[in-house]
Amino acid sequence: MAQLFTGLPLRLIAAGVLLINGLFPVLWLFLTSLKSELELTRTPITWLPDRPTIANYVDAFSDQPLHIFLMNSFAVATLSTISTLLVSTFAAYAIARLQLRFRALILSVIIAVSTFPLVTLLVPLFETMRALNLLNTYTALVLPYTVLSLPVCTLVLVSFFDGIPRDLENAAMVDGCTRLGALFRVVVPLAGPGVFTAAILAFVNAWDEFLLALSFNASPMLRTLPVGITLYQGEFAFPWTVISAALVVGIVPLAILIVIFQERVVSGLTAGGMKG
């Protein structure tokens, strides 16, 4: 009991640090989006807006086609998430179920590939997309995002597939299912938390990515949200309040996604960590 109370203040401090680190930037961003330019530059600084205004949100949609940026990001993130889940499901199932001689080596290579800096892949990917005539298309982003998310999603799914008894698949195949049918009718539903976790990771990765989106799509109507927000900056002006409003709008879809699926994601991360 004494050890419990001794560790309790440390736990509270750690939780407080994590809470401040996670919520304070978002809160400050939201408060900034409700201020005027004059109030933002006032000294001493004011924490709460004197006269909250939604004019910055109106300007965010009127100054740039923010709705188009949102639609482009949603389309690219959704398509890349679907393709990532499809490929990583087959890859994870093969690693988990087939008697591979070099399973440990394969997993090590997957982990190593996931650590490659994105900037080192920029030129080869750009040349590949140009050779395939895919620049300025959704495909130019969907394919690289799928490849970049595959290592992490595959590792997550492998940990879940390993925990599902083979007898369930064998029973399904005895009843007439093919191996592919057993995979999607038995294994994938039982690994639901892991699938949701992999989907969230792939979606967030595609939603937030900036470098490839800037390099591969030069058409203004194909800009994704991270790239589109940079267009608010002028040569001699940096409208922090409008940019803050645009950033808040970009955060809302992810926040809604996390709130809806938070239980599955948390259970997936926890179960995956315990099984790994």
Side-chain angles (χ1 to χ4, degrees):
M1 183 66 68
Q3 293 179 352
L4 177 62
F5 283 102
T6 301
L8 186 59
L10 295 178
R11 295 178 183 178
L12 291 177
I13 293 174
V17 170
L18 291 175
L19 186 65
I20 293 174
N21 181 67
L23 291 183
F24 179 77
V26 178
L27 178 61
W28 183 251
L29 191 70
F30 176 69
L31 294 176
T32 301
S33 69
L34 299 177
K35 295 180 179 180
S36 64
E37 287 283 350
L38 181 61
E39 186 178 357
L40 186 64
T41 57
R42 181 189 305 169
T43 54
I45 191 172
T46 57
W47 293 93
L48 298 176
D50 292 338
R51 296 181 178 178
T53 176
I54 62 171
N56 296 317
Y57 290 89
V58 176
D59 293 340
F61 282 93
S62 61
D63 293 352
Q64 296 290 341
L66 184 59
H67 62 289
I68 293 179
F69 301 153
L70 286 168
M71 288 190 295
N72 290 338
S73 287
F74 184 79
V76 169
T78 301
L79 292 173
S80 62
T81 299
I82 293 173
S83 60
T84 299
L85 285 180
L86 184 62
V87 178
S88 62
T89 296
F90 287 118
Y93 184 75
I95 295 173
R97 287 294 188 262
L98 300 182
Q99 301 298 325
L100 301 176
R101 293 182 57 188
F102 303 104
R103 171 189 161 103
L105 178 61
I106 293 173
L107 291 175
S108 299
V109 170
I110 291 175
I111 295 174
V113 169
S114 66
T115 62
F116 285 180
L118 181 57
V119 67
T120 63
L121 304 175
L122 178 61
V123 174
L125 286 175
F126 183 86
E127 291 298 328
T128 301
M129 294 303 153
R130 185 171 64 175
L132 296 175
N133 198 27
L134 293 176
L135 295 178
N136 293 317
T137 64
Y138 283 161
T139 309
L141 297 180
V142 172
L143 292 179
Y145 290 170
T146 300
V147 173
L148 293 173
S149 297
L150 272 177
V152 174
C153 293
T154 300
L155 291 174
V156 170
L157 292 177
V158 166
S159 66
F160 278 88
F161 290 171
D162 278 338
I164 298 175
R166 297 172 182 262
D167 293 341
L168 297 177
E169 299 164 63
N170 294 334
M173 287 188 284
V174 168
D175 289 340
C177 270
T178 62
R179 180 170 290 274
L180 187 62
L183 169 62
F184 286 103
R185 294 183 181 181
V186 177
V187 178
V188 171
L190 290 175
V195 174
F196 275 98
T197 301
I200 293 295
L201 292 174
F203 190 91
V204 171
N205 179 61
W207 185 272
D208 291 339
E209 201 283 323
F210 175 80
L211 183 60
L212 298 184
L214 176 66
S215 304
F216 293 174
N217 282 348
S219 173
M221 302 308 292
L222 290 176
R223 298 287 193 189
T224 57
L225 186 64
V227 179
I229 288 178
T230 63
L231 301 179
Y232 288 95
Q233 178 183 356
E235 185 177 359
F236 302 105
F238 204 106
W240 283 108
T241 53
V242 177
I243 292 175
S244 297
L247 288 171
V248 170
V249 172
I251 291 173
V252 168
L254 291 182
I256 294 174
L257 197 64
I258 295 299
V259 168
I260 294 175
F261 299 111
Q262 63 175 339
E263 291 186 4
R264 288 183 176 269
V265 173
V266 171
S267 62
L269 291 173
T270 304
M274 293 175 63
K275 293 172 185 176

